């Protein structure tokens, strides 16, 4: 079993060009099914979740070739509509293939998705949106049997701005006759990137980035070439690492406005922040001060995925910071491991109270989920002594060449 070994206490200095977005490339790979043509997708990160998506595409009959960070998908050879349970269990985002397969073939058979255990994340809203479009869906024993012989455009009003439900509705609506309007749609940059890819394929989609997305379905699609946006959560993680360990780091490739909730917080905590259009520079001495309560929220609010690494940075500081997690009820599993390092964190339901301590101590740690694993890395970089972190399959889902990236910034880190 592999572990990451970190000798903490070293300042981080240098520049990181941020990888392609995990949360953007996965729905775009699913969307490549719609055209029945060739899709060339650039800036695809080398992640286990991406490999799982490629495996699903290949199982469905597509020809997929990866060269560097470019994935080429030929979906003209698609000849199946089923996804086996072992592939669905690889990642939570596998549910995005439901809308795409249904739109392309008129039927889909798959099981409930897997992924990080962050608490109940029902896909009821996904299924409701597809049913609104005319899909018939039967649920039995954790399996879904779906058919749609005539999807029709309609108004879909989501009860919450779910990213996945918005994406599934967009994909299915591309094959529906007439206009679909998705109200209370998710506004994340990844939704905008999916719209850009669909429009490059010839689809008529507009409004992404606002609360209403409109799709005029039934438009013929064609071959497309697209570059995936950079990963704002990875950028936030590197900034949190710099804040915790101290030093001067630059992250480039992510629009500054996508990072504002994180950079504003770190500036309040005492870090120096310099922002340009596609670059953020952070300087700090590794000693942070408490900030007002941090409440996670859908974009453009504070991202739930950035909460664990930012919390890890705030453990080593002065004063008390309160975190309120509104998205996932089990998003605090990393706090137990941080406590092993000497962090003072008290959790009550969805609220975590972080009392800063003068120093963290290295320890043997185990990642329980993707972003929680990132929190442990951030804390270990700032701690005194050596830390060993296991559960690396979680980190491999979202961070490309993590150890190499941090080593380029001066961290004493190795994977063994």
């Amino acid at each position: 079993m592999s572990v990451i070994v970190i000798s903490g206490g070293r300042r981080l200095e240098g520049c990181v060009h941020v990888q392609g977005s995990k949360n953007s490339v996965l729905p775009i790979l699913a969307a490549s099914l719609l055209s029945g043509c060739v899709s060339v997708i650039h800036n695809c990160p080398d992640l286990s979740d991406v490999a799982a998506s490629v495996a699903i595409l290949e199982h469905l009959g597509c020809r997929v070739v990866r060269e560097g960070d470019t994935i080429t998908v030929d979906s003209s050879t698609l000849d199946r509509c089923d996804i086996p349970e072992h592939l669905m269990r690889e990642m939570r985002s596998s549910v995005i293939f439901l809308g795409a397969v249904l739109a392309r073939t008129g039927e889909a058979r798959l099981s409930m998705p897997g992924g990080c255990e962050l608490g109940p994340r029902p896909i009821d809203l996904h299924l409701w949106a597809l049913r609104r479009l005319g899909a018939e869906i039967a649920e039995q024993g954790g399996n879904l049997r779906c058919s749609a012989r005539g999807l029709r455009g309609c108004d879909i009003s989501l009860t919450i701005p779910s990213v996945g439900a918005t994406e599934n509705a967009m994909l299915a609506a591309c094959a529906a006759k007439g206009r679909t309007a998705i109200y209370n749609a998710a506004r994340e940059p990844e939704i905008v990137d999916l719209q850009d890819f669909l429009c490059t394929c010839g689809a008529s989609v507009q409004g992404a980035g606002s609360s209403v997305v409109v799709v005029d379905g039934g438009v013929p699609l064609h071959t497309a070439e697209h570059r995936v946006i950079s990963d704002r959560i990875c950028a936030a993680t590197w900034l949190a690492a710099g804040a915790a360990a101290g030093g001067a780091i630059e992250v480039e490739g992510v629009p500054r406005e996508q990072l504002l909730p994180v950079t504003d917080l770190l500036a309040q905590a005492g870090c120096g922040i310099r922002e340009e259009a596609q670059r953020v520079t952070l300087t700090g001495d590794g000693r942070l001060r408490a900030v007002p309560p941090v409440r996670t929220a859908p974009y453009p609010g504070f991202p739930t995925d950035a909460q664990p690494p930012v919390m890890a940075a705030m453990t080593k500081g002065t004063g008390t910071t309160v975190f309120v997690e509104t998205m996932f009820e089990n998003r605090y599993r990393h706090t137990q491991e941080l406590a092993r390092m000497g962090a003072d964190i008290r959790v009550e339901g969805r609220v975590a109270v972080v009392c800063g301590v003068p120093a963290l101590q290295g320890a043997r740690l185990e990642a329980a989920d993707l972003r929680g694993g990132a929190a442990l890395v951030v804390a270990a970089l700032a701690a005194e002594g050596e830390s060993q972190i296991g559960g690396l399959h979680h980190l491999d889902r979202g961070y490309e060449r993590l150890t190499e990236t941090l080593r380029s910034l001066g961290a004493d880190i190795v994977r063994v």
Side-chain angles (χ1 to χ4, degrees), residues 250 256 263 271-276 279-283:
E250 298 177 356
R256 60 174 292 277
T263 53
C271 296
I273 301 289
R274 188 175 76 248
E275 298 170 313
E276 302 172 47
R279 176 177 300 185
V280 173
T281 302
L282 177 144
T283 56

Side-chain angles (χ1 to χ4, degrees), residues 86-108:
H86 74 275
L87 291 178
M88 288 296 297
R89 285 187 174 275
E90 288 292 314
M91 60 174 183
R92 183 72 189 182
S93 298
S94 58
V95 72
I96 196 60
F97 280 90
L98 174 56
V101 173
L102 196 62
R104 174 70 189 279
T105 69
E107 57 181 325

Side-chain angles (χ1 to χ4, degrees), residues 25-44:
V25 69
L26 301 181
I28 286 174
L29 285 172
S32 69
L33 293 173
L34 298 181
S35 68
C37 299
V38 174
S39 298
V40 181
I41 307 165
H42 302 292
N43 201 31
C44 299

Side-chain angles (χ1 to χ4, degrees), residues 7 108 204 256 310 352 395:
S7 293
S204 176
R256 60 174 292 277
V310 169
L395 285 162

Side-chain angles (χ1 to χ4, degrees), residues 367-400:
D369 56 69
L370 170 56
R371 306 306 174 184
L376 303 186
V377 171
V378 168
L381 291 169
E384 298 175 355
E386 182 180 280
S387 297
Q388 293 186 19
I389 303 173
L392 302 190
H393 61 285
H394 292 297
L395 285 162
D396 291 341
R397 292 185 47 236
Y399 293 93
E400 178 182 60

